[in-house]
Amino acid sequence: TSGGFSRTIKTKHLSNLLLLFFIFLLFSLIIKNIFRNCQLYTNNPLIQNMSLQLFFVHPRSLSTCFENIIRQRNDFKVFHELFACSFFKEEREETYEDDNIYNSYEDVKKTLFESAEKTQTFNKDICNVCCEEIIKDFDEYVSFGTTFSFLIRHPAKTLVSYYRTLKKHNQRVKNTDTVEFPIEDVGYHSIERLVKKLQSENIDIILVNADDLQRDPHQLMQIYCEAIGCSYIPESLEWEEFNEDNIPSNWKSFQTWHDTLLSSTSVVPLSNSSSSNEYELDLNQFDSQDRGWILEYYTEILEIYERLNKLKLAID
């Protein structure tokens, strides 16, 4: 009897050991699966709380001011016109430490994707320098989880500012007062092409008008932040006065283009005396020999602007 009892105890003991072994094995498989899923989470930007924001603009649209607002948040890695820096590398007024790695469109795309895998990333850029490449690689950007947004400004303001600033730039870089450029360089055509691409893919258009930024920056930025999926930070609308020590290094490549921003500490509001005249092209701001082709540009661009403006984020 005692022998049978002993065998029963041993059998139960063995059963318990087997049960513990299977529980351990099951627990190990669960832990392994959790670890694998954590790796997928870490390596997949689509299921991380990371993002790539591509903000496309045309020249002289208050775009670097807008970029600076995002920069003041301190929760985005902010890049300044990486595609433009690679495109205009021969026209840089100064170079900065990262210039050598942005020598091509592919270099820039790689940099942005790698950054967005680690942290929220924002790149403001001139649309016409990379529009065709972005459209060609559109599926890749969408698969990566990219958000596209846009900024426009009335061409009566843009053309005057672009002409005046390009003249200063040419004097500094090319030692000439001559100003000439193709209409595509003003940038409205490429913005409309990329907007139409998004529309064809049923992607919501996030488009800002620079006048609204000046008219009510807090309301506009609150609406914009909601549209791109980030929190609104009111403090980002003010910043310390710029000096040689706190100017972002990559602004120095084309510093002539940022003079107004560099003397500011917040968004410059629309003038209280603003009238319909500010939306009429002042040809006296252009050299006499250039007024003819400037007026032709304006007429064509105005039609594009009016179509795009119907898509803007609305403020009260």
Side-chain angles (χ1 to χ4, degrees):
T1 303
S2 61
F5 181 78
S6 176
R7 283 193 297 273
T8 301
I9 294 296
K10 288 180 179 179
T11 300
K12 288 184 177 180
H13 183 64
L14 181 60
S15 297
N16 288 337
L17 287 175
L18 287 172
L19 180 60
L20 288 173
F21 173 77
F22 283 117
I23 291 174
F24 175 79
L25 183 62
L26 180 61
F27 184 77
S28 298
L29 290 172
I30 292 172
I31 294 297
K32 183 178 180 180
N33 192 54
I34 292 173
F35 182 74
R36 183 177 66 84
N37 288 337
C38 285
Q39 284 187 309
L40 287 174
Y41 182 89
T42 301
N43 294 328
N44 188 346
L46 295 179
I47 54 177
Q48 294 182 70
N49 188 27
M50 305 301 174
S51 65
L52 174 58
Q53 304 287 340
L54 293 184
F55 185 61
F56 287 114
V57 307
H58 59 74
R60 314 314 294 161
S61 56
L62 307 184
S63 61
T64 306
C65 176
F66 196 103
E67 170 197 320
N68 192 51
I69 294 171
I70 303 298
R71 191 180 294 274
Q72 298 302 312
R73 296 172 55 92
N74 294 318
D75 60 348
F76 278 88
K77 172 68 175 176
V78 178
F79 291 102
H80 173 76
E81 299 181 3
L82 293 195
F83 291 115
C85 283
S86 68
F87 188 85
F88 293 115
K89 51 183 176 285
E90 301 303 324
E91 296 193 24
R92 297 169 182 159
E93 296 171 11
E94 295 184 29
T95 58
Y96 59 99
E97 62 269 21
D98 291 332
D99 271 345
N100 60 321
I101 67 172
Y102 305 133
N103 286 322
S104 71
Y105 164 82
E106 291 296 334
D107 289 339
V108 172
K109 184 175 74 169
K110 180 174 181 289
T111 296
L112 292 174
F113 280 4
E114 288 178 349
S115 174
E117 287 175 350
K118 301 171 185 175
T119 188
Q120 295 186 109
T121 298
F122 182 96
N123 180 57
K124 183 266 287 193
D125 231 304
I126 307 299
C127 192
N128 62 287
V129 305
C130 58
C131 178
E132 299 308 318
E133 290 85 354
I134 296 290
I135 290 174
K136 176 176 67 69
D137 293 340
F138 190 77
D139 290 343
E140 185 178 2
Y141 284 99
V142 171
S143 297
F144 194 82
T146 305
T147 299
F148 299 88
S149 56
F150 304 88
L151 176 66
I152 60 171
R153 191 184 190 193
H154 196 283
K157 299 179 180 181
T158 294
L159 280 169
V160 169
S161 180
Y162 186 59
Y163 185 91
R164 182 188 303 132
T165 309
L166 188 59
K167 176 175 281 194
K168 291 180 183 177
H169 175 82
N170 288 348
Q171 290 170 341
R172 181 171 182 178
V173 176
K174 300 180 178 180
N175 197 30
T176 178
D177 286 333
T178 302
V179 176
E180 54 184 5
F181 51 87
I183 193 170
E184 288 78 11
D185 281 7
V186 192
Y188 293 82
H189 292 78
S190 57
I191 288 179
E192 185 172 47
R193 280 199 295 275
L194 191 49
V195 163
K196 286 182 176 179
K197 176 62 178 176
L198 267 67
Q199 289 175 319
S200 72
E201 301 289 338
N202 295 315
I203 297 174
D204 291 341
I205 304 303
I206 305 171
L207 186 144
V208 173
N209 188 304
D211 278 358
D212 292 335
L213 177 64
Q214 292 184 283
R215 185 175 292 113
D216 192 337
H218 284 280
Q219 184 185 176
L220 188 278
M221 290 308 301
Q222 189 168 5
I223 294 170
Y224 176 80
C225 289
E226 181 179 351
I228 69 169
C230 70
S231 61
Y232 169 56
I233 302 178
E235 294 78 13
S236 64
L237 287 163
E238 296 181 353
W239 47 87
E240 294 181 0
E241 186 175 343
F242 289 104
N243 56 56
E244 193 61 34
D245 294 329
N246 67 1
I247 297 175
S249 60
N250 49 3
W251 290 5
K252 296 178 182 179
S253 294
F254 298 93
Q255 191 164 328
T256 298
W257 299 83
H258 310 311
D259 286 346
T260 301
L261 174 62
L262 292 175
S263 62
S264 72
T265 56
S266 63
V267 179
V268 178
L270 283 177
S271 170
N272 292 330
S273 61
S274 294
S275 66
S276 59
N277 290 337
E278 69 175 328
Y279 300 108
E280 297 175 4
L281 184 65
D282 183 2
L283 288 173
N284 292 322
Q285 299 295 321
F286 306 91
D287 293 341
S288 57
Q289 70 272 15
D290 296 326
R291 292 172 187 168
W293 59 269
I294 287 289
L295 182 58
E296 290 179 6
Y297 281 16
Y298 174 73
T299 302
E300 182 174 333
I301 290 170
L302 181 60
E303 293 180 1
I304 299 173
Y305 167 83
E306 289 175 343
R307 289 194 295 268
L308 290 171
N309 198 46
K310 293 176 182 177
L311 304 173
K312 72 173 184 175
L313 297 176
I315 66 171
D316 296 335

